[in-house]
Amino acid sequence: MSSNNPIGIFDSGVGGLSVLREVRALMPNENIIYFGDQGHVPYGPRSMRQIQNFSEGITRFLLGHGAKIIVVACNTASAAALKHLRATFSDVQFVGMEPAVKPAAEKTQTGKVGVLATPATFQGELYASVVERFANGVELFQNTCPGLVNQIEKGELNAPQTRAILEDALLPMLEKNIDTVVLGCTHYPFVIPLIERIVGEKVRVIDPAPAVAKQVKRLLEAGGMVNQNREKGTVRFITSGEVDSVKRVLSTLLGIDAEVEAVTWMDDRGIR
Ligand code: DGL
């Protein structure tokens, strides 16, 4: 495995791009291969078994394309599949997502924190463990924001329906006097401007992506796997969905006009 090999990043869709942009900003000379599983998004309502199968198939695909580390840039896949992936690929380094309850609990003044994530994330033992270890008497208000992932997949960051989903989640939390909102889904950083317009400037919004990028850097440095090239790294975008719609959303979310490669699932675990 060469240090010039790419960092593999995957998500159920475009959410993981909120992690990719932080990795890119922190380590611009690293090559990246990004997999968005638009053929199966959203993962949130799916079974653990299905998410584990999808995550295993995507990991095999990324390793097959030389990934030197795998970033599970998806809270839902991290909750449902990270333990399974580490057991299945014991010689591979994984970085996963974890709802940022710890920093929220440390920073809140009112002791009231809102958490936005998918059903599968909230149901996973990872979230229960994070709450048990770090909530420390802070009152958490959870909401799954039904339909928000699909809105962001369509690039509708300011549509009335997107605003309505967020108001339904956040207004009751504001009445409970929250002063912090944890983004427990990697799609949600793309609607931070809208969230901030709803909650106002007194409420802190926590996006874990920068911390995840720093963890990737730490692991690459510790393993002597940092790309030593000076020039800007390349990014490959792979989707199991529609190339044209992913190209459109890449332009909306990242302001880039990128080539997108399409792949096809043969079954729940194999990608052609
Ligand atoms: N971006 C994902 C997450 O962080 C996934 C959402 C979904 O596909 O439901 O959970």
Side-chain angles (χ1 to χ4, degrees):
M1 180 77 73
S2 151
S3 59
N4 293 353
N5 282 35
I7 297 169
I9 304 177
F10 79 87
D11 176 55
S12 59
V14 294
L17 296 174
S18 63
V19 175
L20 177 142
R21 67 181 172 184
E22 297 297 335
V23 169
R24 194 96 169 118
L26 191 62
M27 299 171 275
N29 60 324
E30 287 289 344
N31 299 313
I32 296 172
I33 179 167
Y34 182 89
F35 190 108
D37 193 13
Q38 276 83 7
H40 291 131
V41 75
Y43 280 7
R46 291 181 181 273
S47 71
M48 270 186 70
R49 185 73 236 145
Q50 264 196 327
I51 299 168
Q52 287 171 355
N53 288 344
F54 298 157
S55 301
E56 188 178 320
I58 294 168
T59 297
R60 287 193 200 288
F61 176 87
L62 292 172
L63 293 174
H65 285 76
K68 61 186 175 183
I69 188 171
I70 304 289
V71 183
V72 185
C74 174
N75 290 265
T76 303
S78 296
L82 198 52
K83 194 183 280 187
H84 170 76
L85 292 174
R86 286 180 168 142
T88 307
F89 305 95
S90 53
D91 58 342
V92 174
Q93 281 198 317
F94 290 91
V95 177
M97 304 302 295
E98 179 175 285
V101 171
K102 183 169 187 287
E106 289 166 351
K107 292 176 180 158
T108 179
Q109 299 298 309
T110 64
K112 315 276 188 186
V113 170
V115 184
L116 308 182
T118 68
T121 295
F122 284 131
Q123 287 151 20
E125 62 185 46
L126 177 63
Y127 181 71
S129 157
V130 164
V131 171
E132 187 188 342
R133 281 180 289 149
F134 303 124
N136 301 333
V138 168
E139 192 171 3
L140 300 176
F141 301 90
Q142 295 159 188
N143 196 288
T144 60
C145 303
L148 186 56
V149 166
N150 286 335
Q151 287 296 105
I152 296 167
E153 284 290 318
K154 292 184 291 185
E156 295 185 4
L157 307 183
N158 294 295
Q161 188 183 345
T162 307
R163 183 178 188 104
I165 294 168
L166 283 167
E167 286 179 340
D168 285 352
L170 295 168
L171 295 181
M173 293 180 181
L174 290 172
E175 284 172 17
K176 299 284 187 184
N177 199 24
I178 63 161
D179 64 355
T180 308
V181 175
V182 170
L183 301 185
C185 170
T186 54
H187 279 76
Y188 299 171
F190 289 110
V191 287
I192 284 179
L194 180 50
I195 290 172
E196 289 177 337
R197 288 199 293 275
I198 294 168
V199 300
E201 59 192 20
K202 290 192 175 62
V203 176
R204 175 187 292 107
V205 181
I206 298 181
D207 170 10
V212 173
K214 288 190 184 97
Q215 175 63 1
V216 174
K217 187 168 192 282
R218 266 194 297 274
L219 288 177
L220 290 178
E221 287 170 343
M225 292 301 285
V226 173
N227 190 324
Q228 300 302 321
N229 288 343
R230 287 272 166 266
E231 64 268 11
K232 202 168 169 71
T234 59
V235 183
R236 282 181 71 186
F237 293 99
I238 316 284
T239 178
S240 60
E242 291 296 316
V243 166
D244 290 344
S245 59
V246 174
K247 278 175 73 77
R248 270 195 304 276
V249 180
L250 278 174
S251 169
T252 302
L253 299 185
L254 300 182
I256 58 174
D257 177 19
E259 284 312 305
V260 176
E261 301 164 56
V263 296
T264 309
W265 284 95
M266 294 178 291
D267 51 34
D268 261 10
R269 295 168 65 168
I271 294 167
R272 199 184 4 252

